[in-house]
Amino acid sequence: MIIPVRCFTCGALIGDKWLEYARRVKQGEDPKRVLDDLEVKRYCCRRMFLSHVELIDEILLYEEAEEE
Amino acid sequence: MTQELSLKIIELKDNFLKFELSGVSPAFANALRRTLLSEVPTLAIDDVIITVNDSVLFDEILAHRLGLIPLHIDDEVYDILREAYEEGKRDEYTVSFVLDVEAIDRPVMVYSGHLKFQAASFGSLSSMLARITPVSESIPIVKLAPGQRLALEAIAKMGTGKEHAKWQPVATVAYKYKPKIRILNPKPEDLQKCVDICPKGVLSAESGELKVVNELECSLCRECEEKCPGVVKIGWDERTFIFTVESLGMISMRKLIYTAIDTLLKRGKAFINETLKTIQTSPLSENLNT
């Protein structure tokens, strides 16, 4: 749905790094490099990014349709 | 056997600390680790009063996300809050924030930066302003579609990681024995293999000689001992620990370590007092006197 605020396992803050990660990966950069740049070191935090599917934009489309 | 207690800082960054603690038992090292994780009080949003929520997330999910936002407090304010918390006055020393965001014609992302400091139940507004802020301004809370509005008041209180992980001041605290690597008598053809096998890059081979380049990085995996026997001997010091502490930036590293040690001390003293009291009031103590 939306990126979790913290890593499920260790509790490190990850929410604030998502937008940069998503933007750079979309531009074709290697996720490994982006995560290294963002200093996401542990694999518990890294999987939070790698396995996340940002669905909120898709859900918002239906919200807009409902209003109309 | 007994070695003097000493602490040496190896690396210190804003939110990262690596230090060597020697002259203590593993039990003490673990006590310090656990105190850092669950006994150091911090500030986090605990009550949320939602007035308008048109967003796609439920009220409780929003409240949960808000709670997880780490709040930075400076050392002076922290002292006031910690003292109050320890006196059991956590509900009287609160900090409130307001958030009111509306998406007009295009989708709007609500960030932690939209939380506006409103009041603190202690001290004047101007002196507290800018001293209590979210650690990061860009944590997404929710995204609003055009026409949606989110308005709420969030009340932050002190608490410890023992109660809820949102009050945990650190992400990870870990310690390991200090590695001690001894080079035996390696055959020249074994050298490169031994260097390559180490996942942490601890060893290096220069001009036919094996050298330990960064001993502290060794994770004591003993891969080198196993794969090329007779080259190195991995050992460790059971009274010396390498601690790594990664904080979330809620309180300064100095304050964090100080508070952990102070809490540990206070609990130790409380334990001694309780024990003495129990001994003195027990019927056995009369027998002891006679």
Side-chain angles (χ1 to χ4, degrees):
Chain A
M1 185 76 155
I2 188 166
I3 186 76
V5 178
R6 299 208 200 174
C7 168
F8 290 159
T9 304
C10 70
L13 186 64
I14 53 160
D16 59 339
K17 301 182 182 84
W18 169 258
L19 289 177
E20 185 180 343
Y21 171 81
R23 180 178 52 79
R24 286 172 63 177
V25 170
K26 208 176 165 193
Q27 284 170 359
E29 235 180 291
D30 181 10
K32 176 182 184 291
R33 267 203 50 198
V34 184
L35 289 172
D36 287 343
D37 275 1
L38 291 170
E39 289 185 3
V40 181
K41 281 173 269 169
R42 284 178 295 279
Y43 60 59
C44 61
C45 307
R46 291 172 85 95
R47 62 90 205 255
M48 299 297 294
F49 288 88
L50 294 171
S51 60
H52 178 64
V53 184
E54 187 88 339
L55 277 178
I56 198 152
D57 293 302
E58 256 121 286
I59 287 156
L60 288 191
L61 296 177
Y62 296 95
E63 290 291 311
E64 283 164 39
E66 214 173 76
E67 310 259 320
E68 283 161 16
Chain B
M1 174 70 209
T2 39
Q3 187 187 350
E4 200 132 317
L5 189 136
S6 76
L7 195 149
K8 196 173 82 194
I9 291 173
I10 300 167
E11 196 184 341
L12 176 61
K13 281 187 247 163
D14 277 356
N15 290 340
F16 183 83
L17 171 69
K18 195 171 188 176
F19 64 91
E20 185 186 310
L21 183 64
S22 49
V24 298
S25 66
F28 183 84
N30 196 36
L32 182 59
R33 183 187 73 89
R34 293 187 58 148
T35 310
L36 278 166
L37 277 169
S38 59
E39 302 281 355
V40 176
T42 54
L43 190 71
I45 291 170
D46 196 35
D47 281 333
V48 180
I49 301 155
I50 295 174
T51 37
V52 185
N53 177 17
D54 299 330
S55 80
V56 292
L57 295 186
F58 295 118
D59 291 0
E60 51 267 48
I61 297 176
L62 280 175
H64 180 241
R65 290 181 69 84
L66 288 165
L68 291 174
I69 295 169
L71 299 174
H72 171 81
I73 17 179
D74 76 2
D75 286 357
E76 266 172 67
V77 180
Y78 181 71
D79 286 337
I80 303 172
L81 284 167
R82 183 180 165 225
E83 206 187 313
Y85 176 76
E86 280 173 3
E87 285 168 8
K89 288 191 273 186
R90 67 183 291 194
D91 292 330
E92 292 155 45
Y93 283 69
T94 58
V95 179
S96 62
F97 294 89
V98 281
L99 186 146
D100 194 340
V101 182
E102 191 174 1
I104 313 270
D105 46 2
R106 55 193 178 84
V108 169
M109 182 70 97
V110 182
Y111 291 105
S112 54
H114 285 115
L115 279 170
K116 291 279 166 289
F117 180 88
Q118 192 191 29
S121 65
F122 53 98
S124 67
L125 186 81
S126 55
S127 68
M128 293 298 156
L129 206 66
R131 286 177 149 195
I132 305 166
T133 52
V135 162
S136 168
E137 301 273 281
S138 51
I139 305 166
I141 297 168
V142 68
K143 202 167 193 177
L144 300 174
Q148 291 182 335
R149 180 170 168 231
L150 179 66
L152 54 86
E153 186 187 345
I155 296 155
K157 288 179 189 167
M158 294 292 275
T160 55
K162 197 159 63 174
E163 198 178 329
H164 192 291
K166 69 184 175 186
W167 279 302
Q168 203 173 283
V170 289
T172 51
V173 195
Y175 62 84
K176 64 173 181 192
Y177 287 132
K178 187 184 182 186
K180 272 185 177 167
I181 304 168
R182 201 152 49 89
I183 311 257
L184 304 172
N185 303 314
K187 280 176 251 144
E189 62 270 25
D190 279 352
L191 295 184
Q192 199 51 47
K193 188 187 165 198
C194 197
V195 170
D196 294 341
I197 221 131
C198 179
K200 300 280 181 185
V202 172
L203 302 164
S204 93
E206 276 169 44
S207 55
E209 210 181 321
L210 199 62
K211 272 187 188 150
V212 181
V213 281
N214 42 6
E215 197 171 34
L216 292 186
E217 277 301 301
C218 177
S219 65
L220 307 177
C221 70
R222 306 178 104 177
E223 190 78 349
C224 46
E225 270 185 356
E226 200 180 297
K227 295 283 158 62
C228 21
V231 178
V232 281
K233 177 87 188 120
I234 305 292
W236 52 84
D237 181 350
E238 294 199 352
R239 304 279 293 173
T240 307
F241 299 89
I242 308 293
F243 261 85
T244 42
V245 183
E246 193 186 304
S247 97
L248 282 162
M250 293 162 162
I251 49 177
S252 66
M253 198 49 104
R254 176 194 290 263
K255 204 82 204 164
L256 178 64
I257 303 295
Y258 171 81
T259 313
I261 294 169
D262 191 47
T263 310
L264 203 53
L265 261 174
K266 276 185 186 160
R267 304 194 97 201
K269 276 181 194 153
F271 176 69
I272 293 170
N273 288 340
E274 277 306 305
T275 317
L276 286 178
K277 223 191 290 172
T278 316
I279 293 170
Q280 277 157 11
T281 52
S282 79
L284 280 174
S285 63
E286 281 164 30
N287 297 344
L288 287 172
N289 291 336
T290 50

